[in-house]
């Protein structure tokens, strides 16, 4: 029923959900995570991370967040908590999958949502899901961006690393695509997290 909900919502949400799960699994393999229960949680959390968007207007995936109403923005920023609530009612899904979904938009520097958690407070699997989620948004062209190439998306994400992502998971993404280490991972240079994507100019629009 949950998969049908994602599928019937929009082609974007369905494709993004499947892609996030797939890339999350591949990143976990790169990190040599081998426990079947852990891999199940990675796959399930990736697939259902955005189930909380089931009542979200599908047309907004194609519009910049700067054009959203306060109500639309509220629905979006609350979707991790909404998703956790949906998952908590399903006994066959491990309870910590709900926490992973709740945390998947938290940033390492405390600027994420819904709770503004910092690195040590964020579920480790959620940090991995976050990398897969943002990567898929970038290559699919979410929120008014044109779709980025994998190389463009990864270089942009690496430049944001101290604001958003844990270095371990970014390195796994770089290794997955057999890229040379981007210069931003070798220096202290960090660009603003107030970028909507790798193909947009700097503006007040969080990832």
């Amino acid at each position: 029923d949950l998969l049908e909900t994602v599928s019937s919502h929009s082609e974007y949400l369905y494709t993004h959900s499947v892609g996030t799960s797939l890339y999350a699994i591949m990143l976990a393999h790169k990190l040599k995570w081998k426990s079947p229960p852990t891999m199940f949680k990675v796959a399930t959390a990736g697939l259902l991370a955005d189930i909380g968007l089931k009542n979200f207007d599908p047309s907004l995936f194609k519009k910049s967040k700067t054009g959203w109403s306060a109500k639309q923005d509220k629905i979006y920023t609350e979707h991790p908590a909404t998703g956790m609530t949906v998952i908590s009612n399903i006994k066959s899904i491990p309870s910590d999958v709900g926490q992973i979904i709740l945390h998947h938009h938290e940033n390492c520097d405390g600027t994420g949502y819904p709770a503004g958690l910092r690195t040590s407070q964020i579920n480790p699997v959620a940090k991995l899901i976050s990398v897969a989620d943002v990567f898929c948004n970038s290559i699919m062209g979410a929120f008014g961006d044109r779709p980025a190439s994998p190389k463009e998306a990864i270089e942009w994400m690496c430049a944001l690393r101290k604001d958003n992502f844990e270095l371990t998971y970014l390195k796994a993404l770089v290794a997955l695509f057999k890229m040379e280490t981007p210069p931003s991972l070798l220096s202290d240079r960090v660009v603003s997290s107030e970028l909507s994507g790798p193909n947009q100019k700097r503006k007040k629009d969080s990832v």
Side-chain angles (χ1 to χ4, degrees), residues 161-180:
R161 73 192 190 282
K162 289 183 180 179
D163 288 329
N164 291 47
F165 312 109
E166 189 162 300
L167 187 59
T168 299
Y169 305 119
L170 282 179
K171 286 184 174 180
L173 184 62
V174 170
L176 182 63
F177 282 86
K178 299 180 180 179
M179 289 175 55
E180 292 186 11

Side-chain angles (χ1 to χ4, degrees), residues 65 106-112 119 130-131 133-135 137-138 145 151-171 173-174 182-203 205-207:
K65 293 180 181 180
E106 298 289 356
N107 294 336
C108 288
D109 69 345
T111 61
T119 301
S130 175
V131 169
D133 175 81
V134 174
F135 177 74
N137 271 338
S138 297
D145 286 356
K151 183 175 185 294
E152 289 173 327
I154 291 170
E155 288 180 344
W156 170 72
M157 290 171 68
C158 287
L160 288 175
R161 73 192 190 282
K162 289 183 180 179
D163 288 329
N164 291 47
F165 312 109
E166 189 162 300
L167 187 59
T168 299
Y169 305 119
L170 282 179
K171 286 184 174 180
L173 184 62
V174 170
S184 56
L185 291 190
L186 301 174
S187 71
D188 291 329
R189 176 179 174 272
V190 180
V191 300
S192 171
S193 61
E194 294 174 347
L195 292 172
S196 65
N199 301 302
Q200 293 287 308
K201 293 181 180 179
R202 184 170 298 188
K203 61 184 179 180
D205 190 8
S206 61
V207 176

Side-chain angles (χ1 to χ4, degrees), residues 91-113:
K91 294 181 180 180
S92 61
I93 296 180
S95 60
D96 48 348
V97 170
Q99 185 188 65
I100 295 167
I101 290 173
L102 179 64
H103 289 180
H104 82 280
H105 277 296
E106 298 289 356
N107 294 336
C108 288
D109 69 345
T111 61
Y113 54 86

